Amino acid sequence: MAEVATESIQQVLAALEVFSGKPDKESLDKANAWLQNFQHAVTHDLHQLDASQRAGLRETLTTAIQKYANGPRAVLIQLCLALSGLALQMKEWDNPVLDLINALGQNP
């Protein structure tokens, strides 16, 4: 699963890069589908990642939310859903609410 998780994260990062430029409709649809699939995987397959991979995923999602805070809105929603699913399932994350307020609350 670690290789699949790494590949999935790389696909999501590639999908996010699509939104950085001026993508065509097909690229936007493909990137949005990747993000939706990723959010689904975080919700249903997170148990297959070890703790260090989950921590890395948390940092990647938090950074992506900061980067896409101003949109596109569909991207931000998928990222937030994935991060919230991670926060609910990541037992080793002691205080997700405070950590997210500290990381994201400075830029409303």
Side-chain angles (χ1 to χ4, degrees):
M1 175 62 188
E3 290 176 17
V4 173
T6 301
E7 181 179 317
S8 180
I9 290 169
Q10 289 172 344
Q11 285 181 336
V12 169
L13 293 174
L16 291 173
E17 286 305 312
V18 167
F19 294 105
S20 295
K22 292 186 178 186
D24 56 60
K25 173 123 174 68
E26 183 180 338
S27 296
L28 279 174
D29 291 344
K30 187 175 181 180
N32 195 37
W34 279 342
L35 291 172
Q36 288 175 353
N37 290 338
F38 180 69
Q39 186 272 323
H40 179 80
V42 167
T43 301
H44 299 287
D45 300 328
L46 189 66
H47 65 280
Q48 297 178 18
L49 295 177
D50 64 38
S52 65
Q53 290 172 315
R54 289 190 296 267
L57 178 58
R58 175 183 65 204
E59 296 308 314
T60 299
L61 287 171
T62 302
T63 300
I65 288 170
Q66 291 169 331
K67 182 175 181 179
Y68 293 95
N70 294 321
R73 187 165 170 75
V75 172
L76 187 58
I77 289 169
Q78 293 301 325
L79 292 170
C80 288
L81 288 171
L83 187 60
S84 65
L86 182 65
L88 290 171
Q89 296 181 64
M90 195 172 159
K91 295 175 184 164
E92 62 274 13
W93 193 354
D94 294 328
N95 199 339
V97 174
L98 182 60
D99 290 345
L100 291 173
I101 289 170
N102 288 336
L104 304 171
Q106 305 303 319
N107 188 9

